[in-house]
Amino acid sequence: MEGKPVEGQERTVRQMAVESFSPSSIADMVPRRSSRRSHAVFVALQREIVLGTQAPGLTLTELDLAQRFGCSQGTVREALMRLSEEGLVMRQPHRGTQVAPCDAADARALLQLRREIECRHLDRVAARVDAPLLEDLRACLDAMRNAARDGDEYRLSVQDRAFHARLFAAAELPLVAPILTRCLIHAHRYKILNSRPNRALEETAERHVPILAALEARDVAALGGLLGHHIATIVDFGPDLTDAEEIA
């Protein structure tokens, strides 16, 4: 009879989850909910859309993608459905699939929603701070630093999003988490497509250090201020995308 995993076994599972953020394959860094082939197509297209290689409004056809990736149209369709769930593509009957727009109005609304989600429930997060949470976040931070040093902006985005998703997971609000996931990827996409070229990626990683320190101190007020500013200034050009009075 299979018994309940002991603490050491649970620890190993958590470590394996964190280590999956820095593997040899990009596809292994994104949680898989489909076949390996479909997942690889999904991750490849997600990367291209986030980085702008697949530009907003571009039409994607299942036949062309199937030929490109050497797979069936059904495999491509599964990947496109996942991208549609994230809002990265728009699938319309008889009109095919287009890469979703990346407009300031959408970005502003999503950033405001993201800040509401992340900052509203920090008391729940602080009450659940433990060693595994802190170690997971430090691992994400180290992975961000490695991606920054490699000049890999997409991998940095993956690790950055993992940091914030893991932080919010401590609030134990599983029905809200998928909403935050969508806010995170679109915020990063907007940032990448609209920020100045040659940005200092290492600075992006290091912005998470004071957040981690405030969390470790269980200082909810400081954590809220740091997270709010972090989210409001995600785009490093022009005015903040969130309302100044809300930031204050």
Side-chain angles (χ1 to χ4, degrees), residues 33-49:
R33 297 191 286 107
S34 56
S35 68
R36 179 173 294 275
R37 179 68 64 86
S38 173
H39 181 71
V41 174
F42 163 76
V43 172
L45 292 175
Q46 184 195 73
R47 177 186 182 115
E48 293 174 356
I49 293 171

Side-chain angles (χ1 to χ4, degrees), residues 1 11 24 32 36 39 54 60 64 92 102 110 116 126 147 160 167 172 192 198 204 207-208 210 215 232 234 245 247:
M1 179 177 179
R11 186 79 177 151
S24 58
R32 184 164 57 243
R36 179 173 294 275
H39 181 71
Q54 301 283 3
L60 304 175
D64 289 344
Q92 299 176 325
C102 187
L110 287 169
E116 174 71 14
D160 192 329
L167 177 63
E172 297 183 1
I192 290 171
N198 302 318
T204 298
R207 294 184 71 203
H208 296 78
L215 178 68
I234 187 172
E245 61 269 20
I247 297 172

Side-chain angles (χ1 to χ4, degrees), residues 122 124-130 133-134 137 163 166-167 170 208-220 222-223 226-227:
L122 291 175
R124 294 175 62 90
V125 174
R128 294 166 174 80
V129 174
D130 57 12
L133 171 62
L134 294 173
L137 293 176
F163 180 98
R166 178 65 181 94
L167 177 63
H208 296 78
V209 173
I211 295 173
L212 187 53
L215 178 68
E216 190 168 10
R218 294 170 174 78
D219 188 336
V220 175
L223 183 58
L226 288 165
L227 264 177

